[in-house]
Amino acid sequence: MKTHTFTGKLAALLTFGALSVPALAGPGDVVVENAWSRASIGVNRPGAAYMTIRNTGDEPVTLIGLTTPLAMMPEIHETTTNAKGVSSMSPAGEIAIAPGESVALEPGGLHAMLMRLQELMTEGDTFTLTLLFDDGGEVTVEVPILGIAARGPED
Ligand SMILES: [Cu+2]
C-alpha cells in the first residue's frame, strides 16, 4: 500500500469526525456506502467521486456541501441529458434526504465534482471526503481511487 501524502491530516480528520458526529442528531444517522472515484488524467482536469448516502435516522438530513484535502473546490453536481442527448452538469445545491431514504451519486447523475485538484488522483490511493450537513454535522469517508476506466466499486 502506498503512503499517501495526506496521512497526517487524514488521521486528524477521522479523529475529529469520530468525536463530533455522534453528538449531532442528523448526520449521526448518515451512512455512506460504496464510495469510489476514478484516477485522473492530470491535475488540471476535475475529478469526480461517487457513493450512496443513506439516512438511517428518523429525521430528514440535508447535505449542503463538501470538503476534501484533495481539491480546493469540491461541489455536488448533477448531470442532466437533454432531448437531443447532450449532457451538461451544474451545481445541485442542497440535497435533502428523507428518513429511510438514500441518494446515489453515480456516473450520469449526481456526483461529487472535485475541482482544483491539489494532486494527481492515482489508482490505488485513497483520499478523505467530508460531507457537510445543514445542522453543522459532518461525515468523513475514505474514498478509494480506482482505474481510469472504472464504472463502479465492483470493477
Ligand atoms: Cu460535475
Side-chain angles (χ1 to χ4, degrees):
M1 208 129 170
K2 282 184 195 169
T3 309
H4 198 279
T5 48
F6 291 123
T7 303
K9 234 179 225 175
L10 180 135
L13 272 173
L14 292 177
T15 306
F16 178 72
L19 290 173
S20 66
V21 168
L24 296 152
D29 299 320
V30 171
V31 176
V32 177
E33 296 163 341
N34 297 326
W36 66 284
S37 63
R38 282 193 197 100
S40 58
I41 300 161
V43 288
N44 296 327
R45 313 251 316 251
Y50 310 100
M51 69 204 70
T52 300
I53 307 166
R54 193 177 300 282
N55 180 3
T56 64
D58 300 325
E59 290 176 32
V61 297
T62 302
L63 178 64
I64 58 167
L66 303 168
T67 179
T68 172
L70 181 66
M72 298 272 285
M73 247 184 84
E75 199 168 52
I76 302 275
H77 275 187
E78 182 160 30
T79 300
T80 49
T81 306
N82 70 14
K84 291 175 179 166
V86 179
S87 56
S88 59
M89 59 187 178
S90 54
E94 298 187 350
I95 296 171
I97 310 172
E101 298 292 312
S102 62
V103 165
L105 274 53
E106 56 195 1
L110 289 169
H111 54 277
M113 197 89 213
L114 307 173
M115 292 174 286
R116 298 178 63 192
L117 288 180
Q118 297 301 288
E119 66 171 45
L120 199 63
M121 294 171 72
T122 306
E123 182 175 356
D125 277 1
T126 64
F127 63 96
T128 57
L129 181 70
T130 300
L131 312 181
L132 309 173
F133 292 87
D134 67 342
D135 67 350
E138 6 185 284
V139 175
T140 298
V141 291
E142 184 95 23
V143 184
I145 301 172
L146 307 183
I148 213 151
R151 301 178 74 84
E154 274 86 47
D155 280 16

